[in-house]
Amino acid sequence: LPAGSLGRMRAGRGITHAEGNAASRSSGERLRVIQMWVAPHADGLEPDQVERDFTAELAAGEPVVVASGRAEHAGSTALDIANRFAALHLATPPAGRTITLPAAPFGHLYLVRGAVTVDGAGETAELAPGDALRTVDTGPLTVTASEDAELVFWEMHASFDV
């Protein structure tokens, strides 16, 4: 997948697949892959794979819903996931930009690159690349990029044991 793209694979009843970097090792091209697993809300799903390029949407720096099983995102450009309780937001705010991430009963914020300050529920956290922040009932999060940043935020409306 090229930068700015998202792939969604649904294993369903079982799949066989392989993963690899399309660039050769000698090219010196850097690769960053973020792979996350989301449990489905139903069993017996058909195996499926889809990908989409979100580069144009991400260019504005605001959060973009790129994958969701939530009813309010049905019919949007987000890739459909088989979990009605979760939505994945990506954002690439430039230095100095402040964005707002949605309130959620459970949240998981991961900073891919850059540096940000996160304010929520009266607390402030400074994040560096590779840092993660989990939230529980904190309301909306205000994120200010002190450097050009790239972040991933899972908005979850149920715990894993649903």
Coordinates of all heavy atoms in Angstrom, one line a residue, residues 7-81:
G7 N -5.6 -0.4 4.2 CA -6.1 -1.7 3.7 C -6.8 -2.3 4.8 O -6.5 -2.2 6.0
R8 N -7.9 -2.9 4.5 CA -8.7 -3.7 5.5 C -8.9 -5.1 5.0 O -9.3 -5.3 3.9 CB -10.1 -3.0 5.6 CG -10.9 -3.5 6.8 CD -11.9 -4.6 6.5 NE -12.9 -4.1 5.5 CZ -13.4 -4.9 4.6 NH1 -13.0 -6.2 4.5 NH2 -14.3 -4.5 3.7
M9 N -8.5 -6.0 5.8 CA -8.7 -7.4 5.5 C -9.6 -8.1 6.5 O -9.4 -7.9 7.7 CB -7.3 -8.2 5.5 CG -7.4 -9.6 5.2 SD -5.8 -10.5 5.3 CE -4.9 -9.6 4.1
R10 N -10.6 -8.8 6.1 CA -11.5 -9.5 6.9 C -11.2 -11.0 6.8 O -11.4 -11.5 5.7 CB -12.9 -9.2 6.5 CG -14.0 -9.8 7.4 CD -15.4 -9.4 7.1 NE -15.5 -8.0 7.3 CZ -16.2 -7.2 6.5 NH1 -16.9 -7.6 5.4 NH2 -16.3 -5.9 6.7
A11 N -10.7 -11.6 7.8 CA -10.3 -13.0 7.8 C -11.5 -13.9 7.6 O -11.4 -15.0 7.1 CB -9.4 -13.4 9.0
G12 N -12.6 -13.5 8.2 CA -13.8 -14.3 8.1 C -13.6 -15.7 8.6 O -13.1 -15.8 9.7
R13 N -13.9 -16.7 7.8 CA -13.7 -18.1 8.2 C -12.3 -18.6 8.0 O -12.0 -19.7 8.3 CB -14.7 -18.9 7.5 CG -16.2 -18.6 7.9 CD -17.2 -19.5 7.2 NE -16.9 -19.7 5.8 CZ -17.4 -18.9 4.8 NH1 -18.1 -17.9 5.1 NH2 -17.1 -19.1 3.5
G14 N -11.4 -17.7 7.4 CA -10.1 -18.1 7.2 C -9.5 -17.6 5.9 O -10.3 -17.5 4.9
I15 N -8.3 -17.2 5.9 CA -7.6 -16.7 4.7 C -6.2 -17.2 4.7 O -5.6 -17.6 5.7 CB -7.6 -15.1 4.7 CG1 -6.9 -14.6 5.9 CG2 -9.0 -14.6 4.5 CD1 -6.7 -13.1 5.8
T16 N -5.6 -17.1 3.5 CA -4.1 -17.3 3.3 C -3.6 -16.0 2.6 O -4.2 -15.6 1.7 CB -3.8 -18.5 2.4 OG1 -4.4 -19.7 3.1 CG2 -2.3 -18.7 2.2
H17 N -2.6 -15.4 3.2 CA -2.0 -14.2 2.6 C -0.6 -14.1 2.9 O 0.0 -14.8 3.7 CB -2.8 -13.0 3.0 CG -2.5 -12.5 4.4 ND1 -2.8 -13.1 5.5 CD2 -1.8 -11.4 4.8 CE1 -2.3 -12.5 6.6 NE2 -1.7 -11.4 6.1
A18 N 0.1 -13.2 2.2 CA 1.5 -12.9 2.4 C 1.6 -11.3 2.4 O 0.9 -10.6 1.7 CB 2.4 -13.5 1.3
E19 N 2.6 -10.9 3.2 CA 2.9 -9.4 3.3 C 4.3 -9.2 2.9 O 5.2 -10.0 3.3 CB 2.6 -8.9 4.7 CG 1.1 -9.1 5.1 CD 0.9 -8.7 6.5 OE1 1.8 -8.1 7.2 OE2 -0.1 -9.1 7.0
G20 N 4.6 -8.1 2.2 CA 6.0 -7.8 1.9 C 6.1 -6.4 1.5 O 5.1 -5.7 1.1
N21 N 7.3 -5.8 1.5 CA 7.6 -4.5 1.0 C 7.9 -4.5 -0.5 O 8.7 -5.3 -1.0 CB 8.9 -4.0 1.8 CG 9.2 -2.5 1.5 OD1 8.6 -1.9 0.6 ND2 10.2 -2.0 2.2
A22 N 7.2 -3.7 -1.2 CA 7.3 -3.7 -2.7 C 8.7 -3.1 -3.1 O 9.1 -3.4 -4.2 CB 6.2 -2.9 -3.3
A23 N 9.3 -2.3 -2.2 CA 10.6 -1.8 -2.5 C 11.7 -2.8 -2.2 O 11.6 -3.5 -1.2 CB 10.8 -0.5 -1.8
S24 N 12.8 -2.8 -2.9 CA 13.9 -3.7 -2.5 C 14.7 -3.1 -1.4 O 14.7 -1.9 -1.1 CB 14.8 -3.9 -3.7 OG 15.5 -2.7 -4.0
R25 N 15.3 -4.0 -0.6 CA 16.1 -3.6 0.5 C 17.2 -2.6 0.1 O 17.5 -1.6 0.7 CB 16.7 -4.8 1.2 CG 17.6 -4.4 2.4 CD 18.0 -5.5 3.2 NE 16.9 -5.9 4.1 CZ 17.0 -6.9 4.9 NH1 18.0 -7.7 4.9 NH2 15.9 -7.1 5.7
S26 N 17.8 -2.8 -1.1 CA 18.9 -2.0 -1.6 C 18.4 -0.6 -2.0 O 19.3 0.3 -2.0 CB 19.6 -2.7 -2.8 OG 18.7 -2.8 -3.9
S27 N 17.1 -0.4 -2.1 CA 16.6 1.0 -2.5 C 16.8 2.0 -1.3 O 16.8 3.2 -1.5 CB 15.2 0.9 -2.9 OG 14.3 0.7 -1.8
G28 N 16.9 1.4 -0.1 CA 17.0 2.3 1.1 C 15.7 3.0 1.4 O 15.7 3.9 2.3
E29 N 14.6 2.7 0.8 CA 13.3 3.3 1.0 C 12.8 2.9 2.4 O 12.7 1.7 2.7 CB 12.3 2.9 -0.1 CG 11.1 3.8 -0.2 CD 10.3 3.5 -1.5 OE1 10.9 3.1 -2.5 OE2 9.1 3.7 -1.4
R30 N 12.4 3.9 3.2 CA 11.8 3.6 4.5 C 10.4 3.1 4.4 O 9.6 3.6 3.5 CB 11.9 4.8 5.4 CG 13.3 5.2 5.7 CD 13.3 6.4 6.6 NE 12.7 6.0 7.9 CZ 13.4 5.9 9.0 NH1 14.6 6.1 9.1 NH2 12.7 5.5 10.1
L31 N 10.0 2.2 5.2 CA 8.7 1.7 5.3 C 8.2 1.7 6.7 O 8.9 1.3 7.6 CB 8.6 0.2 4.7 CG 7.3 -0.6 4.9 CD1 6.3 0.0 4.0 CD2 7.5 -2.0 4.6
R32 N 6.9 2.2 6.9 CA 6.3 2.1 8.2 C 4.9 1.5 8.0 O 4.1 2.0 7.2 CB 6.2 3.5 8.8 CG 5.5 3.4 10.2 CD 5.3 4.7 10.9 NE 6.5 5.5 11.0 CZ 7.3 5.5 12.1 NH1 6.9 4.8 13.1 NH2 8.3 6.2 12.1
V33 N 4.7 0.4 8.7 CA 3.4 -0.3 8.6 C 2.8 -0.3 10.0 O 3.5 -0.6 10.9 CB 3.6 -1.7 8.1 CG1 2.2 -2.4 8.1 CG2 4.1 -1.7 6.7
I34 N 1.6 0.1 10.1 CA 0.8 0.0 11.3 C -0.3 -1.0 11.1 O -1.1 -0.8 10.3 CB 0.3 1.4 11.8 CG1 1.4 2.4 11.9 CG2 -0.6 1.2 13.0 CD1 0.9 3.8 12.2
Q35 N -0.2 -2.1 11.8 CA -1.2 -3.1 11.7 C -2.0 -3.3 13.0 O -1.4 -3.4 14.0 CB -0.5 -4.5 11.3 CG -1.5 -5.6 10.9 CD -0.7 -6.8 10.4 OE1 0.0 -7.4 11.2 NE2 -0.9 -7.1 9.2
M36 N -3.3 -3.2 12.9 CA -4.2 -3.3 14.0 C -5.3 -4.3 13.8 O -5.7 -4.5 12.7 CB -4.8 -1.9 14.3 CG -3.8 -0.9 14.6 SD -4.6 0.7 14.8 CE -3.2 1.7 15.4
W37 N -5.6 -5.0 14.8 CA -6.7 -6.0 14.7 C -7.9 -5.6 15.5 O -7.8 -5.1 16.6 CB -6.2 -7.4 15.3 CG -5.1 -8.0 14.5 CD1 -3.8 -7.6 14.6 CD2 -5.2 -9.0 13.5 NE1 -3.1 -8.4 13.7 CE2 -3.9 -9.2 13.0 CE3 -6.3 -9.7 13.1 CZ2 -3.7 -10.2 12.0 CZ3 -6.0 -10.7 12.1 CH2 -4.7 -10.9 11.6
V38 N -9.1 -5.7 14.9 CA -10.3 -5.3 15.5 C -11.2 -6.5 15.5 O -11.5 -7.1 14.4 CB -11.0 -4.1 14.8 CG1 -12.3 -3.8 15.4 CG2 -10.1 -3.0 14.7
A39 N -11.7 -7.0 16.7 CA -12.6 -8.1 16.7 C -13.9 -7.8 16.1 O -14.5 -6.7 16.3 CB -12.8 -8.5 18.2
P40 N -14.5 -8.7 15.3 CA -15.8 -8.4 14.6 C -16.9 -8.5 15.7 O -16.8 -9.2 16.7 CB -15.9 -9.4 13.6 CG -15.1 -10.6 14.1 CD -13.9 -9.9 14.8
H41 N -18.1 -7.9 15.4 CA -19.2 -8.1 16.3 C -20.1 -9.3 15.9 O -21.1 -9.5 16.5 CB -20.0 -6.8 16.3 CG -20.7 -6.4 15.0 ND1 -20.3 -5.3 14.3 CD2 -21.6 -7.0 14.3 CE1 -21.0 -5.2 13.2 NE2 -21.8 -6.2 13.2
A42 N -19.6 -10.0 14.8 CA -20.4 -11.2 14.4 C -19.5 -12.3 13.9 O -18.3 -12.0 13.5 CB -21.3 -10.8 13.2
D43 N -19.9 -13.5 13.9 CA -19.1 -14.7 13.5 C -19.6 -15.0 12.1 O -20.6 -14.6 11.6 CB -19.4 -15.9 14.4 CG -18.8 -15.6 15.8 OD1 -17.8 -14.9 15.9 OD2 -19.3 -16.2 16.7
G44 N -18.8 -15.9 11.4 CA -19.2 -16.4 10.1 C -19.1 -15.5 8.9 O -19.8 -15.7 7.9
L45 N -18.3 -14.4 9.0 CA -18.2 -13.4 8.0 C -17.4 -14.0 6.8 O -16.5 -14.8 7.0 CB -17.6 -12.2 8.5 CG -18.3 -11.5 9.6 CD1 -17.4 -10.3 10.2 CD2 -19.6 -10.9 9.1
E46 N -17.7 -13.5 5.6 CA -17.0 -13.9 4.4 C -15.6 -13.2 4.4 O -15.5 -12.1 4.8 CB -17.7 -13.5 3.1 CG -19.0 -14.3 2.9 CD -18.7 -15.8 2.6 OE1 -17.7 -16.1 1.9 OE2 -19.4 -16.6 3.1
P47 N -14.5 -13.9 4.0 CA -13.2 -13.3 3.9 C -13.3 -12.2 2.8 O -14.1 -12.3 1.8 CB -12.3 -14.4 3.4 CG -13.0 -15.7 3.8 CD -14.5 -15.4 3.7
D48 N -12.6 -11.1 3.0 CA -12.7 -10.0 2.1 C -11.5 -9.1 2.3 O -10.8 -9.1 3.4 CB -13.9 -9.2 2.5 CG -14.2 -8.0 1.6 OD1 -13.8 -8.1 0.4 OD2 -14.8 -7.0 2.0
Q49 N -11.1 -8.4 1.3 CA -10.0 -7.4 1.4 C -10.3 -6.2 0.5 O -10.9 -6.3 -0.6 CB -8.7 -8.0 0.9 CG -7.5 -7.0 1.0 CD -6.2 -7.6 0.6 OE1 -6.1 -8.8 0.5 NE2 -5.2 -6.8 0.4
V50 N -10.0 -5.0 1.0 CA -10.3 -3.8 0.3 C -9.2 -2.7 0.7 O -8.7 -2.8 1.8 CB -11.7 -3.2 0.5 CG1 -11.9 -2.8 2.0 CG2 -12.1 -2.1 -0.4
E51 N -8.9 -1.8 -0.2 CA -8.0 -0.8 0.2 C -8.4 0.5 -0.5 O -9.2 0.5 -1.4 CB -6.5 -1.1 -0.2 CG -6.4 -1.4 -1.7 CD -5.0 -2.1 -2.0 OE1 -4.7 -3.1 -1.4 OE2 -4.3 -1.4 -2.8
R52 N -8.0 1.6 0.1 CA -8.4 2.9 -0.4 C -7.3 4.0 -0.1 O -6.7 3.9 1.0 CB -9.7 3.4 0.2 CG -10.2 4.7 -0.3 CD -11.7 4.9 0.1 NE -12.2 6.1 -0.6 CZ -11.9 7.4 -0.3 NH1 -11.0 7.6 0.7 NH2 -12.4 8.4 -0.9
D53 N -7.1 4.9 -1.0 CA -6.1 6.0 -0.8 C -6.9 7.2 -0.2 O -7.8 7.7 -0.7 CB -5.5 6.3 -2.1 CG -4.4 7.4 -2.0 OD1 -4.3 8.0 -0.9 OD2 -3.6 7.5 -2.9
F54 N -6.4 7.7 1.0 CA -7.0 8.8 1.7 C -6.1 10.0 1.6 O -6.3 11.0 2.4 CB -7.3 8.4 3.1 CG -8.4 7.5 3.3 CD1 -8.2 6.1 3.4 CD2 -9.7 7.9 3.4 CE1 -9.3 5.2 3.5 CE2 -10.8 7.1 3.5 CZ -10.6 5.7 3.6
T55 N -5.1 10.0 0.8 CA -4.1 11.1 0.7 C -4.8 12.5 0.6 O -4.5 13.4 1.3 CB -3.1 10.9 -0.4 OG1 -2.5 9.6 -0.3 CG2 -2.0 12.0 -0.5
A56 N -5.7 12.6 -0.4 CA -6.4 13.9 -0.6 C -7.1 14.4 0.6 O -7.1 15.6 1.0 CB -7.3 13.8 -1.8
E57 N -7.9 13.5 1.3 CA -8.7 13.9 2.5 C -7.7 14.2 3.6 O -8.0 15.2 4.4 CB -9.6 12.7 2.9 CG -10.7 12.4 2.0 CD -10.4 11.3 1.0 OE1 -9.2 11.2 0.6 OE2 -11.3 10.6 0.5
L58 N -6.6 13.6 3.8 CA -5.7 13.8 4.9 C -4.9 15.1 4.7 O -4.4 15.7 5.7 CB -4.7 12.6 5.0 CG -5.3 11.3 5.5 CD1 -4.4 10.2 5.4 CD2 -5.8 11.5 7.0
A59 N -4.8 15.6 3.5 CA -4.0 16.8 3.2 C -4.5 18.0 4.0 O -3.7 18.9 4.3 CB -4.0 17.1 1.7
A60 N -5.7 18.1 4.4 CA -6.3 19.2 5.1 C -5.8 19.3 6.5 O -5.9 20.3 7.2 CB -7.8 19.2 5.0
G61 N -5.3 18.2 7.1 CA -4.8 18.1 8.4 C -5.8 17.8 9.5 O -5.5 17.6 10.6
E62 N -7.1 17.8 9.1 CA -8.1 17.5 10.1 C -8.3 16.0 10.2 O -8.0 15.2 9.2 CB -9.4 18.2 9.6 CG -9.4 19.7 9.7 CD -9.2 20.2 11.1 OE1 -9.9 19.6 12.0 OE2 -8.5 21.2 11.3
P63 N -8.9 15.5 11.3 CA -9.2 14.1 11.4 C -10.2 13.6 10.3 O -11.1 14.3 9.9 CB -9.9 14.0 12.8 CG -9.5 15.2 13.5 CD -9.3 16.2 12.5
V64 N -9.8 12.4 9.8 CA -10.6 11.8 8.7 C -11.0 10.4 9.2 O -10.2 9.6 9.7 CB -9.8 11.6 7.4 CG1 -10.6 10.9 6.3 CG2 -9.4 13.0 6.9
V65 N -12.3 10.0 9.1 CA -12.8 8.7 9.5 C -12.4 7.8 8.3 O -13.0 8.0 7.2 CB -14.3 8.6 9.8 CG1 -14.7 7.2 10.1 CG2 -14.6 9.5 11.0
V66 N -11.5 6.9 8.5 CA -11.0 6.0 7.4 C -11.6 4.6 7.4 O -11.6 3.9 6.4 CB -9.5 6.0 7.3 CG1 -8.9 7.4 7.0 CG2 -8.9 5.5 8.6
A67 N -12.0 4.2 8.6 CA -12.6 2.8 8.7 C -13.6 2.9 9.8 O -13.4 3.5 10.9 CB -11.6 1.8 9.0
S68 N -14.8 2.3 9.6 CA -15.8 2.3 10.7 C -16.9 1.3 10.5 O -17.2 0.9 9.3 CB -16.5 3.7 10.7 OG -17.5 3.8 11.7
G69 N -17.4 0.8 11.6 CA -18.6 0.0 11.5 C -19.8 0.7 12.1 O -20.9 0.1 12.3
R70 N -19.6 2.0 12.5 CA -20.6 2.7 13.2 C -21.7 3.2 12.2 O -21.3 3.6 11.1 CB -20.0 4.0 13.9 CG -18.8 3.6 14.8 CD -18.9 3.9 16.2 NE -19.8 4.9 16.6 CZ -20.8 4.7 17.5 NH1 -21.1 3.6 18.0 NH2 -21.5 5.8 17.9
A71 N -22.9 3.2 12.6 CA -24.0 3.5 11.7 C -23.9 4.9 11.1 O -24.2 5.2 10.0 CB -25.3 3.4 12.5
E72 N -23.4 5.9 11.9 CA -23.3 7.3 11.4 C -22.3 7.4 10.3 O -22.3 8.5 9.6 CB -23.0 8.3 12.5 CG -21.7 8.1 13.2 CD -21.7 7.3 14.5 OE1 -22.6 6.5 14.6 OE2 -20.9 7.6 15.4
H73 N -21.4 6.4 10.1 CA -20.4 6.5 9.0 C -20.8 5.7 7.8 O -20.1 5.6 6.8 CB -19.1 6.1 9.5 CG -18.6 6.9 10.6 ND1 -18.1 6.4 11.8 CD2 -18.6 8.3 10.8 CE1 -17.8 7.4 12.6 NE2 -18.1 8.5 12.1
A74 N -22.0 5.0 7.9 CA -22.4 4.2 6.7 C -22.6 5.1 5.5 O -23.1 6.2 5.6 CB -23.7 3.5 7.1
G75 N -22.2 4.7 4.4 CA -22.3 5.4 3.1 C -21.2 6.5 3.0 O -21.2 7.2 2.0
S76 N -20.3 6.6 3.9 CA -19.2 7.6 3.8 C -18.1 6.9 3.0 O -18.2 5.8 2.6 CB -18.7 8.0 5.2 OG -18.0 7.0 5.8
T77 N -17.0 7.6 2.9 CA -15.8 7.1 2.2 C -15.0 6.1 3.1 O -14.1 5.5 2.6 CB -14.9 8.2 1.8 OG1 -14.4 9.0 2.9 CG2 -15.6 9.1 0.8
A78 N -15.4 6.0 4.4 CA -14.6 5.1 5.3 C -14.8 3.7 4.9 O -15.9 3.3 4.4 CB -15.2 5.3 6.7
L79 N -13.7 2.9 5.0 CA -13.8 1.5 4.8 C -14.7 0.8 5.8 O -14.6 1.2 7.0 CB -12.4 0.8 4.8 CG -11.4 1.3 3.8 CD1 -10.1 0.5 4.0 CD2 -11.9 1.1 2.4
D80 N -15.6 -0.1 5.4 CA -16.5 -0.7 6.4 C -15.7 -1.8 7.1 O -15.0 -2.6 6.6 CB -17.6 -1.4 5.6 CG -18.6 -2.1 6.5 OD1 -19.0 -1.5 7.5 OD2 -18.9 -3.3 6.2
I81 N -15.9 -1.8 8.5 CA -15.3 -2.8 9.3 C -16.5 -3.5 10.0 O -17.5 -2.9 10.2 CB -14.3 -2.3 10.3 CG1 -14.8 -1.2 11.2 CG2 -13.0 -1.9 9.6 CD1 -13.9 -0.8 12.3

